Amino acid sequence: MAMKTFNEYLKEYKALVKQGSPGAGHKKIKVALAASFNVSGFKEVLYVQCRQQRIAADIYVAAYAQYNQEILDRSSGLYRHQPDVIILFVDTASHLGDYLFNASERSDRQRRNFVSGKRAGLESLIEALEKNTRATIIVHNFEVPAYSPLGILENKQPFGMKESIEDLNRQLAGKYKKDPRVYVYDFAAKAGRIGQQDILDHKMYYMGDIKVDLQLISSITADYLAYIRPMLGASRKCLVLDLDNTLWGGVVGEEGIEGIRLGPTPEGRSYWEFQKYILSLFKQGVILAINSKNTEKTVLQVLKEHPHMVLKEEHFAAMQINWENKVTNMKAIAAELNIGLDSLVFMDDDTFNREVMARELPEVHVVDMPDDPALYLKTVQELDVFSVLQITREDKGKSRMYAQNRQRQQFEKQSADIDQYLEGLRMNVTFFEPSALTIPRMSQLTLKTNQWNMTTRRYQENDIAAMAADDAWQIRAMQVEDKFGDNGIIGLIIVKKQGRVWRIDTCLMSCRVIGRRLEEVLVGSMINLAKKAGVEEMVGEFIPSGKNGPAMDVFRQLGFKQDNGMWIYPVQQGFSMPGIIKVRQ
Amino acid sequence: MNNREKMYKILSDVLGIDINAIDGSTGLENVESWDSFNVILLVSEFEQAFNIKFTMPEVECFKSVKDITDVLKKRNVEFLD
């Protein structure tokens, strides 16, 4: 796919704006961009890229070169916009000014003082943004100049100009490492990847104070999406892989297990390293699946016996290996894993397969694979669709849990009926209150759970922390273990206490544990807690989101009665918990 | 598409004007959208389309379609007419 030119983005933007507001099913986000130079065009390109991913972005751009004033003035347009995410792009030349020309005339100490003063200046702006908004803040770090008037002697100085800027970047990264609201965007590395010669067109800079070549804006705004997607729970979860000429070179059905190219040889290394990188994604929680036209027996032999096969049976949560068409297989994978098609990413070397997939299942993210297998590794490394804002213990184990689920399903087939199966699972539930350890996971569940989610209210970590500090809220997370392993924290209930009435603000469960009567434990134990507190009514609410159909009937099944669009449970009658699940408080 | 058609297509797209109404005299004097940002945008799109880089002095005199054509011709972009 050829990159769109800047003007094509502008045209598309105009066309989209003309069409009017995007339909339902679009996720909404308010973005504010504050920059130290002329960022004309950023808004339009970012808007178009968001729309391509079914995100309706409402984007505010701070007045040209007035980022300081807008951030410090609490009545500015930036704050009136009430952004969910703020991007702060201060470029090196604007921030350090003539220092870039006269740094070498200064002493080491002067350089140190100057740069640390500049760092404090930026940090105080970030502090103001943190204080005055609830937004997630993305801050560009600083491009390090590739030149120096000292030439080759630059790094012979104890604290040279380049080193001072690198140090500034290091300090910034260090300061916000533990701050869940501030992300430092590594613009220095981005500039390096693009090439510093190209990122700035000097003529455009002198003519219009434009510091990013117009044709490169789309590459930078695409990086912003890696932050925006997980905020909206729109990250992808599962990587679906073809086999022949994707995970190894050659066609195993024809060339046999000895004939395929895979391993530390010139022909095999690209596939081998491609697999190694995919394994590292698995370890960060990306679910893996196979969608391949092949004979299952042959493939299983490769998975088990090939000495350089990095990915093995235990890493795959679903395997569709047959002679069906790949679209049918893709739907089967989504159904088997109980995740949406919009959670899937597809990698296949065959252009035709990719085109059919993109046409038939537009929700699936089809990766534009290069013809040359030497570029496979680079392609998967550049995939940013799995990005999450925080990695929790559950993430790291998630892909393994999905693979364990295949075993659970086999166990289910062997069991006589559902109750015998559930009993045989020997489930143990533990409840957790909000704490530094559990809040990231709680937030993440609200951001990522779509199907079994009564209200689909999305909460960032600081939202949960604020509720946890307020006595009017009761928050409990549910962890489940069974005979096959630990499922981690997979349920969350948030209740607003209003005297004799408690309202269920949020009630959700990860889809992989649906159908195990765990909802009875999640909601029932809250009802029993309310009973002890002398509460009369528990009020439940179901807000249709287009995706939470599976949760529609839950309140009725739990014994709630519908009343004026809400669901009511008379708390004092108590809730009898399912005996087959053990609960530890 | 010949080079003139390519050029007029970009002018029409960027400035939002009717492609058939473009001639050498089209420019700052008679097109409202011929502002400083759109000139930069035109420069960027022409550089992309004709695989050249303009110099700043060249761009500074982009006041009409004729000015741009003259520079492109000097840069060996061929126009049939």
Side-chain angles (χ1 to χ4, degrees):
Chain A
M1 262 181 286
M3 287 267 287
K4 274 197 195 98
T5 70
F6 178 64
N7 192 47
E8 284 168 329
Y9 274 109
L10 289 192
K11 266 164 67 183
E12 202 172 331
Y13 174 77
K14 284 178 201 150
L16 285 169
V17 169
K18 220 171 168 183
Q19 266 175 35
S21 62
H26 279 72
K27 297 184 155 103
K28 294 196 178 89
I29 191 155
K30 284 187 174 182
V31 182
L33 173 62
S36 58
F37 60 94
N38 180 357
V39 284
S40 297
F42 271 68
K43 170 180 172 168
E44 289 81 359
V45 176
L46 181 60
Y47 181 85
V48 171
Q49 289 174 329
C50 283
R51 281 291 295 270
Q52 284 165 349
Q53 312 201 8
R54 302 185 66 74
I55 295 168
D58 180 2
I59 306 168
Y60 173 82
V61 181
Y64 171 52
Q66 291 185 29
Y67 66 101
N68 258 305
Q69 295 90 314
E70 292 226 16
I71 291 170
L72 296 174
D73 173 8
R74 291 183 62 179
S75 64
S76 69
L78 187 145
Y79 292 121
R80 282 201 304 276
H81 187 61
Q82 298 189 311
D84 304 305
V85 54
I86 300 168
I87 300 157
L88 181 56
F89 186 173
V90 180
D91 70 285
T92 313
S94 308
H95 199 53
L96 302 183
D98 274 349
Y99 179 76
L100 295 182
F101 296 99
N102 61 25
S104 54
E105 298 159 22
R106 308 181 188 206
S107 71
D108 282 314
R109 215 178 113 205
Q110 284 171 326
R111 274 194 291 271
R112 203 175 286 279
N113 289 341
F114 176 78
V115 172
S116 81
K118 285 293 175 183
R119 177 166 55 83
L122 186 72
E123 285 172 358
S124 70
L125 290 180
I126 298 168
E127 197 183 317
L129 289 174
E130 284 202 271
K131 207 172 76 204
N132 297 333
T133 71
R134 296 162 57 111
T136 297
I137 299 154
I138 302 168
V139 188
H140 278 240
N141 72 2
F142 294 94
E143 183 179 345
V144 182
Y147 60 84
S148 155
L150 294 177
I152 57 173
L153 292 179
E154 165 70 25
N155 52 14
K156 292 286 183 202
Q157 295 196 302
F159 194 67
M161 173 184 74
K162 284 198 231 174
E163 192 181 344
S164 68
I165 299 171
E166 284 161 1
D167 188 58
L168 170 60
N169 284 344
R170 247 191 322 272
Q171 303 261 10
L172 269 184
K175 178 166 170 87
Y176 297 108
K177 207 159 260 191
K178 293 223 164 115
D179 185 334
R181 289 186 57 196
V182 181
Y183 292 83
V184 177
Y185 168 60
D186 196 352
F187 183 64
K190 180 74 177 182
R193 269 202 305 286
I194 291 176
Q196 288 184 336
Q197 303 300 328
D198 298 316
I199 205 159
L200 177 97
D201 180 318
H202 280 89
K203 160 178 89 246
M204 304 296 195
Y205 161 45
Y206 293 128
M207 287 172 54
D209 198 22
I210 290 169
K211 288 179 175 159
V212 172
D213 187 324
L214 299 179
Q215 306 297 343
L216 294 173
I217 291 174
S218 60
S219 162
I220 290 165
T221 49
D223 288 348
Y224 297 157
L225 269 157
Y227 298 89
I228 292 173
R229 270 190 307 264
M231 284 184 68
L232 293 170
S235 289
R236 304 269 165 173
K237 296 173 184 165
C238 174
L239 176 56
V240 182
L241 295 152
D242 170 55
L243 297 175
D244 290 331
N245 288 315
T246 299
L247 283 194
W248 55 69
V251 178
V252 68
E254 285 167 19
E255 295 159 78
I257 183 168
E258 309 81 14
I260 59 174
R261 270 80 72 198
L262 175 65
T265 61
E267 307 79 33
R269 191 179 290 276
S270 67
Y271 300 99
W272 193 42
E273 296 198 339
F274 180 56
Q275 287 201 20
K276 285 185 186 181
Y277 194 85
I278 292 172
L279 181 64
S280 73
L281 289 178
F282 169 85
K283 291 193 170 152
Q284 296 309 306
V286 175
I287 303 164
L288 303 181
I290 294 173
N291 184 351
S292 162
K293 286 192 179 182
N294 249 311
T295 309
E296 190 173 15
K297 208 179 123 206
T298 318
V299 170
L300 289 179
Q301 191 197 356
V302 177
L303 290 181
K304 281 188 183 109
E305 294 173 20
H306 195 287
H308 299 297
M309 194 69 196
V310 177
L311 298 172
K312 311 214 180 278
E313 235 187 305
E314 71 204 57
H315 300 126
F316 293 103
M319 297 196 283
Q320 290 290 327
I321 304 163
N322 50 47
W323 299 94
E324 281 285 338
N325 76 65
K326 295 210 170 192
V327 172
T328 309
N329 279 343
M330 206 67 168
K331 290 187 198 158
I333 289 169
E336 187 179 340
L337 300 178
N338 211 352
I339 56 180
L341 287 165
D342 59 2
S343 292
L344 303 180
V345 177
F346 182 51
M347 287 187 122
D348 191 320
D349 67 291
D350 187 278
T351 317
F352 176 77
N353 286 342
R354 294 200 304 266
E355 278 170 7
V356 172
M357 192 67 71
R359 196 181 59 229
E360 298 295 318
L361 303 176
E363 304 94 329
V364 173
H365 179 91
V366 177
V367 179
D368 197 20
M369 292 290 279
D371 292 331
D372 183 355
L375 300 176
Y376 282 8
L377 176 66
K378 183 168 176 274
T379 305
V380 69
Q381 282 170 337
E382 285 172 357
L383 259 191
D384 60 3
V385 294
F386 299 113
S387 63
V388 286
L389 291 178
Q390 73 287 74
I391 287 192
T392 61
R393 189 180 75 97
E394 277 74 14
D395 286 318
K396 291 194 175 177
K398 184 182 67 188
S399 40
R400 194 173 304 279
M401 292 174 202
Y402 270 92
Q404 286 165 354
N405 249 0
R406 268 197 314 130
Q407 294 177 294
R408 285 190 187 96
Q409 276 152 13
Q410 278 173 355
F411 178 63
E412 186 176 355
K413 282 182 196 149
Q414 294 157 9
S415 307
D417 60 40
I418 183 75
D419 284 336
Q420 193 203 346
Y421 160 67
L422 291 177
E423 196 159 5
L425 275 180
R426 297 200 297 273
M427 284 181 280
N428 260 308
V429 163
T430 312
F431 281 105
F432 289 95
E433 304 283 322
S435 72
L437 283 175
T438 55
I439 286 175
R441 174 61 178 165
M442 289 177 173
S443 158
Q444 189 189 43
L445 277 170
T446 72
L447 296 177
K448 289 172 76 172
T449 312
N450 294 319
Q451 297 188 77
W452 207 100
N453 192 338
M454 299 301 157
T455 55
T456 323
R457 294 194 171 105
R458 311 292 195 192
Y459 292 121
Q460 304 297 332
E461 285 181 37
N462 50 314
D463 299 324
I464 306 257
M467 285 189 270
D470 181 346
D471 283 341
W473 295 89
Q474 180 79 40
I475 306 173
R476 299 177 100 198
M478 178 172 77
Q479 182 203 19
V480 181
E481 281 172 71
D482 64 30
K483 71 182 252 184
F484 292 105
D486 184 358
N487 292 274
I489 291 177
I490 42 66
L492 177 70
I493 184 163
I494 301 179
V495 167
K496 177 100 196 266
K497 303 184 209 167
Q498 296 171 324
R500 293 178 174 183
V501 176
W502 284 15
R503 289 180 186 280
I504 302 177
D505 171 90
T506 293
C507 176
L508 60 84
M509 267 183 353
S510 167
C511 48
R512 61 175 189 265
V513 296
I514 294 177
R516 296 211 224 154
R517 302 185 65 182
L518 286 161
E519 62 277 16
E520 296 174 41
V521 178
L522 182 69
V523 178
S525 68
M526 186 58 88
I527 290 173
N528 290 337
L529 201 72
K531 188 181 171 189
K532 273 187 210 159
V535 173
E536 282 165 18
E537 281 185 344
M538 185 72 82
V539 179
E541 182 185 9
F542 179 79
I543 306 174
S545 69
K547 278 186 160 186
N548 62 350
M552 193 169 65
D553 222 24
V554 169
F555 283 125
R556 183 197 312 279
Q557 285 161 2
L558 290 173
F560 284 65
K561 295 279 180 293
Q562 203 162 15
D563 180 35
N564 255 336
M566 301 303 256
W567 293 91
I568 314 287
Y569 193 95
V571 169
Q572 289 306 319
Q573 85 179 43
F575 191 96
S576 84
M577 305 276 275
I580 54 168
I581 303 172
K582 277 197 194 130
V583 180
R584 277 178 289 191
Q585 293 292 340
Chain B
M1 245 196 293
N2 67 37
N3 285 336
R4 182 164 305 276
E5 286 163 351
K6 229 180 184 175
M7 177 183 172
Y8 280 20
K9 175 90 175 55
I10 292 172
L11 284 162
S12 151
D13 278 352
V14 170
L15 299 170
I17 54 176
D18 179 3
I19 194 161
N20 297 309
I22 299 174
D23 61 26
S25 70
T26 304
L28 182 63
E29 299 284 304
N30 45 35
V31 177
E32 209 183 317
S33 55
W34 192 290
D35 57 27
S36 58
F37 183 70
N38 276 340
V39 168
I40 287 174
L41 186 44
L42 284 173
V43 166
S44 178
E45 294 291 320
F46 287 141
E47 288 185 342
Q48 189 98 339
F50 297 114
N51 196 23
I52 51 172
K53 280 277 176 196
F54 294 113
T55 65
M56 195 156 62
E58 281 170 342
V59 172
E60 278 167 349
C61 66
F62 279 4
K63 304 226 164 23
S64 71
V65 170
K66 184 178 175 300
D67 297 336
I68 302 174
T69 316
D70 289 346
V71 171
L72 285 170
K73 280 179 179 164
K74 262 187 227 153
R75 292 303 206 85
N76 297 324
V77 174
E78 283 187 17
F79 289 91
L80 298 169
D81 45 13

